[in-house]
Amino acid sequence: MKKIFYVATMAITAATFVSCGNSVPKAELNDDVDTLSYAFGIEQSQGVKQFLQQMEIDTAYIDEFAKGIAEAAQGVDDKKKAAYNAGIGVGQQLNMMLKGYSRQLFDGDSTKTLSMKNLAAGFIAGATGKDAKMTLEQARMFGQAKAQAIQTKNAEAKFAKEKKASDDFMAAAAKKEGIQKLGLGVLYKVLKAGNGAVPSKNATVTINYEGKNISGKVFDKRDGAKMPISGAIPGFVEAISHMPVGSKWEIYIPYSAGYGAQQAGPDLKPFSALIFTVELLKAEESSQAGAPQIQQ
């Protein structure tokens, strides 16, 4: 939305020096006000090259771009024309949005794309409140669920090798001596038994921890980290909320209780199983939740 605002700012500034007709205006610096207007125009124009690149507008058509600025600027006081011009600007932003969403959803596969027609139809229905086929809440819920499903499906095809490796790793870990099982497929081995209280999922804990991928690469390590349990990935929450204070565990978390199909970091590809060594130093009960996840 900042880009849309920037374009509107340029158009309003341009209105101070535009001439009649649809041709590109010619500067006439007859006094200080004329010159100040021109100076403002020069100053506001500095983001144009980047804007044209973002909009994928060929610089060979720069003259048409200039004519468009002039025409839009003249219509700034014509409410009907100003509304139409604003719609043109938003439509261009929607086109950029569609390309960005499509790249993200389909992992850069240029043969797959969202529907521009339906994206625009949904946007217009939401903006005008007319003939909407779903509520905002329904749109959000469907969008999040469907987008995640599409991304997961694409990731399963692209990272099938990593997915199998993680599945095999967890299956092998489950057979190791001393391994115990929790919910969500989480496994753990007691390295040091503690006799303190077991924190609830709303507690804030102080821990020493080290996180590794199945290749043994350390992706995160902290001592004396203080964090609300509820802000962590599901498998981490499951383990810590069963761990007595004073304990030290080796914890194995399947991708289904970790980051799933997401690329969580340079050393954590989609479908990465996680291995944590955690020492629980302290637990403070709290009713607050929703803190950030462990940082990668």
Side-chain angles (χ1 to χ4, degrees):
M1 295 307 293
K2 290 182 179 178
K3 296 172 185 173
I4 294 174
F5 174 77
Y6 178 71
V7 175
T9 302
M10 289 198 299
I12 291 170
T13 303
T16 63
F17 64 82
V18 71
S19 62
C20 295
N22 293 333
S23 60
V24 178
K26 303 297 182 183
E28 296 180 1
L29 310 184
N30 296 319
D31 54 31
D32 286 346
V33 173
D34 288 343
T35 306
L36 180 60
S37 301
Y38 186 79
F40 279 159
I42 290 290
E43 183 180 1
Q44 290 294 320
S45 71
Q46 297 311 292
V48 167
K49 288 184 179 179
Q50 182 180 1
F51 173 73
L52 291 176
Q53 290 175 349
Q54 292 172 338
M55 297 299 294
E56 298 182 0
I57 296 174
D58 195 323
T59 53
Y61 301 105
I62 194 68
D63 289 343
E64 295 301 315
F65 175 70
K67 289 178 183 178
I69 292 177
E71 184 175 348
Q74 291 181 79
V76 72
D77 293 324
D78 182 334
K79 292 184 178 180
K80 183 177 180 180
K81 192 170 186 178
Y84 178 80
N85 288 333
I88 292 292
V90 172
Q92 291 173 329
Q93 294 294 324
L94 284 178
N95 186 51
M96 291 176 59
M97 185 187 301
L98 177 133
K99 291 178 180 178
Y101 280 167
S102 296
R103 281 195 294 268
Q104 184 177 359
L105 277 173
F106 303 115
D107 198 29
D109 185 346
S110 60
T111 65
K112 298 178 181 178
T113 181
L114 292 171
S115 164
M116 184 70 249
K117 176 182 177 180
N118 287 294
L119 176 63
F123 185 93
I124 293 169
T128 63
K130 297 180 180 179
D131 302 321
K133 297 184 181 297
M134 61 181 71
T135 65
L136 176 60
E137 184 62 26
Q138 288 172 333
R140 285 174 173 167
M141 290 179 65
F142 179 84
Q144 291 173 359
K146 193 62 178 178
Q148 184 175 4
I150 291 174
Q151 288 179 310
T152 298
K153 183 178 179 180
N154 292 334
E156 284 177 342
K158 185 174 181 178
F159 295 96
K161 181 180 178 180
E162 286 79 6
K163 185 174 183 292
K164 185 179 185 305
S166 288
D167 288 337
D168 291 345
F169 175 84
M170 290 299 298
K175 298 176 183 178
K176 289 183 178 180
E177 185 178 353
I179 291 292
Q180 301 182 58
K181 298 181 181 180
L182 294 171
L184 305 180
V186 176
L187 308 173
Y188 72 97
K189 180 178 182 179
V190 177
L191 302 180
K192 182 178 75 173
N195 55 12
V198 176
S200 72
K201 293 181 179 180
N202 290 325
T204 296
V205 296
T206 302
I207 59 176
N208 297 332
Y209 74 86
E210 179 182 79
K212 297 185 293 185
N213 61 23
I214 63 174
S215 298
K217 176 77 172 182
V218 176
F219 63 84
D220 195 11
K221 182 177 182 178
R222 291 174 63 187
D223 288 334
K226 186 174 182 178
M227 56 172 287
I229 298 176
S230 59
I233 55 176
F236 201 86
V237 174
E238 178 70 11
I240 303 303
S241 62
H242 286 84
M243 189 176 185
V245 172
S247 300
K248 185 176 183 180
W249 288 6
E250 187 170 69
I251 303 165
Y252 302 83
I253 300 176
Y255 53 77
S256 57
Y259 296 104
Q262 298 179 39
Q263 175 97 28
D267 298 313
L268 291 179
K269 294 182 178 180
F271 305 109
S272 288
L274 310 171
I275 308 103
F276 283 99
T277 302
V278 180
E279 183 176 12
L280 180 54
L281 305 175
K282 184 180 179 181
E284 303 169 66
E285 290 299 329
S286 171
S287 60
Q288 297 182 359
Q293 294 183 351
I294 295 176
Q295 298 298 308
Q296 304 306 323

